[in-house]
Amino acid sequence: MDSILLKTPLTFIGFLLITFLIIYFLWPEALLRFGRWAFPKIIGVQVRYAEHNGYRFCYYSRGKPGLQPSILMLHGYGFDKDSWLININFLPKNIHVVCLDMPGHGETTCLPGENYTTFDQVKRIHQFVECTGLNRKPFHLVGISMGGMVAGVYTAHYPSEVCCLSLLCPTGLNYPKDSDIMKRVKKNRKNHDVSLVPSNIQEGIEMFRLGLYYSCMAPKQLLKGFFVDWLPDNNFFRKCYLDIFSDESLYSLQDNMSKIRVPTQVIWGKDDKMLDVSGAEVLAKGIPHAQIHLLEKCGHFQPVDSPLKTSQLLVDFHTSYTKN
Ligand SMILES: *[C@@H]1O[C@H](CO)[C@@H](O)[C@H](O)[C@H]1NC(C)=O
Ligand SMILES: *[C@@H]1O[C@H](CO)[C@@H](O)[C@H](O)[C@H]1NC(C)=O
């Protein structure tokens, strides 16, 4: 009797483990999709949609607008609203948090013929903010990389809508020191060369790992799964890449930063191999009283390399500037 009881659960666990390993090695994208479906539910995040003239925005939302300002989070190029899931998990539950799929990314509409320069993206984000009523009260705007550039220029254009701004290693600056990858971007962009946009899984994995200090945080199988779902949208990613490094956008944050007057914090990983940490000096000089935080052992994908530290900095900044 005892031995049967003991054996059955063990067999069952063994069966689960083997199934997991088979999926992990043969069908990693399914595992990733399952994680992306389940994790938001576990941490109490809801998927929402908003429409503006037939254009659909998709976003995560947790909590309701309340006394504390809402937080709007803008992800980086090639990612989607999932980028922030780890951070949301560390944010207090009473704060209303919104993570948007940036124009063309994730489940937000991707229109053929749409442009993705900084200002085109700012205009789209503003439509989103208007149609969801997020700007009924000034909100805390957070952006990383491409999303940081858009967040900064947004604040310069709509200063009354933003109460404070967090810029995580943003694009859009003339970095005193260019990373190797930025040197290649600058060389290629003149010829509209998109060879830096991954066109197969191997290139994707190499590019992704460049963003991390702890590359073991992104196991190869999961990255494979990530790029299986990423590569079909390659035409969009090429267009978006060309637009964010176009003449109009390349230094758009730098050109607009003097108009940013709200309290601003800048967070940058010292081991950022995509956008050199020297960009933080540019923002320190250009934005009055900006708080600068440089993170040790942290690359470009801060939410993966330093999830706790970045969340802590965001929360401390939020509470210190939004008390009343
Ligand atoms: C995108 O930019 C091109 C070139 O500047 C322009 O001709 C086109 O009308 C723009 N498309 C949209 C949807 O704004
Ligand atoms: C922001 O920067 C862009 C790109 O340099 C520039 O064309 C634009 O005029 C600036 N926007 C404002 C409102 O100054």
Side-chain angles (χ1 to χ4, degrees):
M1 209 40 192
D2 275 3
S3 66
I4 292 175
L5 277 180
L6 199 70
K7 259 186 204 153
T8 321
L10 278 184
T11 316
F12 185 62
I13 292 170
F15 172 75
L16 278 187
L17 192 67
I18 288 169
T19 313
F20 173 83
L21 288 177
I22 290 175
I23 295 179
Y24 182 76
F25 284 105
L26 295 183
W27 201 17
E29 64 274 25
L31 197 65
L32 207 62
R33 284 177 206 151
F34 175 76
R36 289 172 148 207
W37 172 82
F39 193 58
K41 293 188 168 45
I42 294 169
I43 63 170
V45 170
Q46 286 173 316
V47 182
R48 295 254 170 88
Y49 299 91
E51 292 256 339
H52 175 86
N53 291 343
Y55 189 92
R56 186 180 76 167
F57 295 96
C58 179
Y59 60 106
Y60 280 144
S61 157
R62 190 173 80 175
K64 288 205 179 77
L67 289 177
Q68 300 240 38
S70 305
I71 303 183
L72 173 60
M73 307 181 94
L74 307 180
H75 64 76
Y77 168 82
F79 286 85
D80 63 25
K81 57 189 180 308
D82 285 348
S83 319
W84 301 109
L85 284 174
I86 306 176
N87 290 112
I88 299 181
N89 193 32
F90 292 115
L91 300 180
K93 284 220 163 71
N94 63 332
I95 302 180
H96 177 224
V97 185
V98 172
C99 307
L100 177 66
D101 273 339
M102 295 292 280
H105 288 77
E107 286 183 76
T108 287
T109 300
C110 184
L111 287 175
E114 173 100 343
N115 297 316
Y116 300 94
T117 66
T118 311
F119 199 49
D120 287 305
Q121 297 201 48
V122 165
K123 283 186 283 189
R124 280 285 182 210
I125 309 289
H126 190 243
Q127 290 170 356
F128 169 74
V129 163
E130 290 258 285
C131 73
T132 52
L134 199 64
N135 56 356
R136 277 194 282 263
K137 216 175 107 182
F139 53 89
H140 175 184
L141 185 55
V142 178
I144 184 166
S145 198
M146 174 192 81
M149 165 173 80
V150 173
V153 177
Y154 189 98
T155 307
H157 277 81
Y158 302 103
S160 63
E161 293 189 0
V162 179
C163 64
C164 55
L165 173 69
S166 301
L167 298 175
L168 283 58
C169 48
T171 51
L173 302 173
N174 190 2
Y175 306 88
K177 185 169 165 270
D178 273 331
S179 61
D180 290 341
I181 196 86
M182 198 60 199
K183 283 181 195 149
R184 286 170 64 197
V185 167
K186 285 188 171 172
K187 194 161 143 255
N188 289 359
R189 68 178 209 101
K190 295 193 194 99
N191 315 314
H192 299 278
D193 177 341
V194 291
S195 56
L196 280 172
V197 178
S199 57
N200 59 52
I201 290 180
Q202 196 47 41
E203 286 175 12
I205 292 176
E206 280 162 26
M207 188 59 82
F208 198 105
R209 292 222 159 129
L210 207 58
L212 293 172
Y213 177 81
Y214 295 108
S215 58
C216 61
M217 293 299 283
K220 193 168 178 186
Q221 277 308 107
L222 289 187
L223 289 183
K224 258 190 203 166
F226 180 87
F227 284 102
V228 166
D229 286 345
W230 197 91
L231 291 170
D233 297 327
N234 219 270
N235 284 337
F236 156 69
F237 289 123
R238 287 178 178 155
K239 166 68 175 150
C240 186
Y241 167 91
L242 287 173
D243 282 359
I244 60 181
F245 296 118
S246 64
D247 290 345
E248 270 175 275
S249 302
L250 187 65
Y251 300 137
S252 57
L253 177 55
Q254 186 145 351
D255 292 345
N256 290 278
M257 67 181 173
S258 66
K259 296 190 207 96
I260 298 175
R261 297 286 152 74
V262 299
T264 301
Q265 77 173 164
V266 175
I267 311 176
W268 220 301
K270 286 189 180 172
D271 305 287
D272 193 326
K273 290 191 281 289
M274 294 202 151
L275 300 176
D276 189 75
V277 62
S278 59
E281 298 160 23
V282 176
L283 294 170
K285 282 190 199 127
I287 305 176
H289 313 299
Q291 298 178 16
I292 312 292
H293 304 276
L294 304 183
L295 307 185
E296 304 284 344
K297 297 190 176 161
C298 179
H300 190 61
F301 303 155
Q302 298 177 19
V304 182
D305 269 335
S306 304
L308 252 172
K309 187 78 197 158
T310 41
S311 312
Q312 190 72 56
L313 288 169
L314 291 174
V315 173
D316 288 350
F317 180 68
H318 184 88
T319 44
S320 65
Y321 279 100
T322 61
K323 281 213 180 77
N324 19 21

